[in-house]
Amino acid sequence: MGVIIPAILPESRDDLEGKLALLEGLVDTVQIDLVDGIFAKPATWPYTNKAERFEQRLMEGEALPYLGSFKFEIDLMVSNPEAVTGLWIAAGAQRVVIHAESTRFLDQIINDLEIKYGHAKGFAPGLLSLGLSIGNDSDLALIEPYVEKADFVQFMGIARIGRQGEPFDARVIEKIRTFRKKYPNVVIQIDGAVSLETAAKLLTAGVDRLVIGSALWKGHSVKEELFKFEALLHEYGVYS
């Protein structure tokens, strides 16, 4: 089930824990979308409540909930990823997504991760994976110098990131096709507006992983919605 990644946009820690409880036993990887209200809006937990001082608690050793049940992918939609990436890794993140537009220090972030975690195309296997995300308004040249050092690239299926339920941005289809033709062996995942209607087009364009948010949470049953997407993946021959 590795090519289906549920996405949680947490309103609070309780909201995060409640959604993780619904996913336990159904998937092995979950993406947690973190929005600081600066790089993207509106802010999510833990940036919604400054009184929580969550980053301080991370520095003191607090871990993500359900840490033994999932591999956590942290999608950092924040304005200073270089300052917080290490904290989320320490809290239990095994995959980290950095938005190329969010920092002027992308090269530094990658180099720091290489030094701390080792890198032989995949960092230390099973320990940490790095994903680079790029928006539809950005040229692929923004990430191309770093593609060989990343474990996957994430494209956005929406124009306004940081929200679930946004309309599908069809520009991403051609962007994926162009990237897939140039980099046939790089893992591609798509996040934003992934539904049963858009997934077929995305898979045909060359996507390997579907990050699914509102299509799961707004359905009658998370389990039933997951089964529908699994059936679609079988149909397109990309299920693993």
Side-chain angles (χ1 to χ4, degrees):
M1 202 179 293
V3 290
I4 296 176
I5 305 174
I8 299 175
L9 195 68
E11 297 178 4
S12 64
R13 186 180 177 92
D14 287 344
D15 180 49
L16 174 61
E17 292 180 354
K19 287 184 168 70
L20 289 174
L22 292 174
L23 292 168
E24 191 171 24
L26 298 178
V27 297
D28 58 10
T29 302
V30 174
Q31 184 184 92
I32 301 177
D33 295 327
L34 300 176
V35 187
D36 66 356
I38 301 171
F39 174 65
K41 297 180 179 181
T44 66
W45 171 90
Y47 298 97
T48 49
N49 186 356
K50 297 299 182 182
E52 285 192 5
R53 295 170 57 84
F54 187 73
E55 289 172 8
Q56 178 64 38
R57 299 211 308 270
L58 287 180
M59 287 187 280
E60 293 169 354
E62 180 162 329
L64 289 163
Y66 287 83
L67 189 55
S69 299
F70 303 101
K71 293 180 181 178
F72 284 110
E73 178 174 293
I74 302 297
D75 190 347
L76 289 171
M77 288 176 272
V78 301
S79 60
N80 59 338
E82 59 276 2
V84 300
T85 300
L87 297 177
W88 288 103
I89 293 169
Q94 290 179 271
R95 300 215 298 233
V96 176
V97 179
I98 305 291
H99 287 254
E101 302 89 350
S102 71
T103 178
R104 295 181 291 112
F105 306 107
L106 188 56
D107 189 59
Q108 175 187 320
I109 294 172
I110 294 173
N111 288 338
D112 288 348
L113 292 175
E114 287 178 352
I115 292 169
K116 188 165 185 177
Y117 298 97
H119 195 293
K121 182 57 178 143
F123 293 91
L127 177 62
L128 179 67
S129 294
L130 171 66
L132 297 179
S133 185
I134 185 167
N136 293 331
D137 290 324
S138 297
D139 193 281
L140 289 174
L142 184 62
I143 62 169
E144 286 185 312
Y146 314 105
V147 166
E148 294 303 317
K149 292 186 175 183
D151 296 283
F152 61 96
V153 169
Q154 174 175 285
F155 288 89
M156 303 305 297
I158 54 179
R160 290 196 305 171
I161 68 171
R163 304 165 183 259
Q164 289 187 346
E166 287 287 295
F168 182 62
D169 185 349
R171 293 179 297 167
V172 75
I173 298 291
E174 188 57 36
K175 209 173 190 72
I176 291 169
R177 286 177 178 154
T178 300
F179 184 87
R180 173 55 76 210
K181 185 175 181 179
K182 194 168 185 179
Y183 301 98
N185 298 317
V186 175
V187 173
I188 296 175
Q189 71 182 36
I190 180 74
D191 182 20
V194 178
S195 66
L196 291 170
E197 290 71 33
T198 62
K201 297 177 183 178
L202 293 164
L203 294 168
T204 301
V207 166
D208 302 295
R209 300 175 183 160
L210 302 174
V211 181
I212 309 170
S214 58
L216 289 182
W217 303 117
K218 292 183 179 180
H220 175 69
S221 162
V222 171
K223 186 174 182 178
E224 289 178 7
E225 296 306 315
L226 282 171
F227 285 161
K228 292 176 184 177
F229 279 100
E230 289 170 27
L232 185 65
L233 293 174
H234 276 296
E235 180 182 345
Y236 281 83
V238 294
Y239 184 84
S240 62

